[in-house]
């Protein structure tokens, strides 16, 4: 009897221990391998400040590389750019605004002291430091997109030489910098948002963190998702700040809306094909329009009165239509097989966008049928999500307001690259046989 009792008790204890291990209430390592347990508790990553703002050193480039392109009277002025003389973004810039990322990133650093004194520290993801030895990354304030738009837009115009010479001068300046040579540019942030920006010499900066709109015109050796940051276009239409309709689904009477250039190059050839596919539907508006003030107003009105807004590829996989749709709270319909999206590690675009492959979109009747069958409650949830996330795509928020904007998010993406940069710098500093593991 005693033997049976002991056997039964032992069985029960084993059963309880097995159950506890299975449910996670007992860690077997702590009982049977206490040394391993203590090691796992003591292990920690090296100091990596995730809460403190990114420390950014900004090169003091002459005005002709940046704000001198806005205020042409100061083009050759050598006076340092400060918060007091920093020019506002020109209201008459037209489509140039959509690639103005470089301006807003510079503004965030120039106006840092002003923001700090106004008590906006918690809205700053990056702060400017004046001692390069304390910096985590180095910002190069060259307005490469604006330089192309001003000096080289026609590609064959003699003025293109101005754009090329600025690129030559920037690279010469960097190669004379001890900080650039020390890291070979790996910890340097350079904006190349327009697909043709820095087009002559971009391959010479392929180690740096590039701020891009997409990877459509950059070979992999120049730009890729592991080291670079995809930034949103600055939207052209006005933000829908008072979108408070009690019946948004019913008040948006157009099913699908598009207004823009219908003839584009490269990836954008899909636009002309979509025009034919979508012709004849009464609840679909597919209109040709240029970037005039009147056309932009019509686009805004059309987006605000539509349930879905079409965002096909432009000359490259991305298009400003996506960001115009987001700030208009019109559910974007993205047709671009090779698009990369901003802040996708934090934002799930599936919650507020609809995606079709090019083959699906060009199948007659398929896309319209899917959108017509889209459940009202699902659309309303996407509309609410657009209201919640649209502030992440706003640039002109200086001084910062309550909600975090695009500039904050871009610096946060750059900050996420710092551990990778440090790994490369530390590793290359001690290797005798570079990248031996690739052989």
């Amino acid at each position: 009897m005693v033997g049976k009792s002991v056997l039964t008790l032992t069985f029960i204890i084993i059963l309880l221990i097995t159950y506890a291990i299975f449910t996670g209430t007992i860690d077997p390592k702590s009982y049977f391998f206490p040394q391993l347990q203590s090691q796992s508790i003591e292990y920690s990553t090296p100091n990596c400040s995730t809460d403190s703002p990114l420390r950014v050193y900004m090169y003091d480039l002459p005005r002709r590389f940046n704000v001198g392109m806005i205020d042409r009277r100061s083009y050759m002025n050598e006076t340092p750019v400060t918060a007091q003389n920093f020019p506002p973004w020109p209201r008459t810039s037209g489509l140039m605004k959509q690639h103005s990322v470089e301006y807003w990133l510079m503004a965030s650093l120039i106006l840092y002291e002003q923001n700090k004194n106004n008590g906006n520290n918690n809205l700053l993801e990056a702060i400017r430091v004046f001692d390069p030895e304390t910096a985590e990354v180095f910002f190069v304030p060259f307005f490469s997109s604006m330089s192309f738009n001003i000096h080289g837009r026609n590609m064959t115009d003699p003025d293109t030489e101005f754009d090329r010479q600025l690129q030559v001068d920037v690279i010469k300046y960097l190669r004379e910098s001890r900080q650039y040579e020390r890291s070979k540019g790996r910890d340097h942030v350079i904006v190349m948002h327009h697909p043709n920006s820095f087009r002559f010499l971009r391959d010479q900066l392929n180690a740096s963190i590039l701020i891009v709109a997409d990877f459509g015109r950059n070979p992999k050796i120049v730009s890729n998702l592991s080291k670079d940051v995809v930034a949103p276009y600055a939207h052209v239409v006005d933000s829908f700040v008072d979108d408070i309709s009690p019946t948004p689904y019913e008040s948006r009477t157009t099913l699908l809306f598009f207004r823009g250039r219908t003839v584009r190059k490269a990836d954008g050839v899909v636009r002309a094909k979509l025009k034919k596919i979508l012709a004849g539907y009464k609840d679909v508006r597919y209109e040709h329009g240029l970037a005039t003030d009147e056309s932009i107003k019509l686009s805004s009105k059309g987006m605000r009165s539509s349930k879905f807004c079409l965002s096909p590829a432009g000359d490259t996989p991305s298009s400003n239509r996506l960001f115009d749709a987001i700030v208009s709270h019109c559910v974007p319909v993205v047709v671009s097989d090779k698009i990369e999206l901003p802040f996708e590690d934090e934002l799930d675009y599936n919650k507020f966008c609809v995606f079709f492959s090019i083959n699906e979109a060009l199948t007659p009747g398929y896309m319209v049928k899917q959108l017509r069958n889209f459940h009202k409650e699902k659309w309303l949830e996407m509309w609410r999500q657009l209201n919640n996330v649209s502030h992440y795509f706003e640039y002109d928020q200086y001084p910062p307001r309550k909600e975090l904007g695009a500039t904050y998010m871009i610096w946060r993406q750059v900050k996420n690259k710092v551990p990778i940069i440090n790994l490369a710098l530390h590793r290359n500093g001690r290797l005798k046989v570079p990248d031996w593991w690739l052989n």
Side-chain angles (χ1 to χ4, degrees), residues 143-185:
F143 290 2
S144 61
S145 296
M146 183 173 282
S147 179
F148 171 76
N149 278 316
I150 292 175
H151 301 307
R153 189 168 183 81
N154 292 326
M155 306 293 277
T156 57
D157 194 294
D159 283 348
T160 300
E161 178 59 25
F162 286 97
D163 184 32
R164 191 193 69 82
Q165 188 59 51
L166 285 174
Q167 295 170 37
V168 170
D169 292 346
V170 165
I171 290 179
K172 180 176 182 294
Y173 183 96
L174 290 174
R175 287 178 175 166
E176 292 173 353
S177 162
R178 186 169 67 87
Q179 286 76 31
Y180 183 85
E181 284 303 304
R182 181 175 60 188
S183 69
K184 301 304 179 185

Side-chain angles (χ1 to χ4, degrees), residues 427 434-439:
R427 187 170 177 274
D435 289 336
W436 56 268
W437 53 276
L438 290 176
N439 297 328

Side-chain angles (χ1 to χ4, degrees), residues 72-85:
R72 301 305 294 272
R73 295 169 299 179
S74 66
Y75 189 74
M76 298 303 294
N77 192 333
E78 298 299 324
T79 304
V81 182
T82 65
Q84 287 68 41
N85 61 30

Side-chain angles (χ1 to χ4, degrees), residues 240 243 326-327 329 347 351-352 380-394 403-405 409:
F240 200 176
D243 187 10
I326 288 173
V327 299
H329 306 156
L347 300 179
K351 292 183 177 180
F352 53 88
L380 286 171
E381 179 56 31
M382 286 190 164
W383 173 79
R384 285 189 284 267
Q385 286 289 339
L386 287 169
N387 275 269
N388 290 334
V389 304
S390 60
H391 63 88
Y392 291 124
F393 303 92
E394 299 286 0
E403 295 177 321
L404 306 177
M409 295 293 286

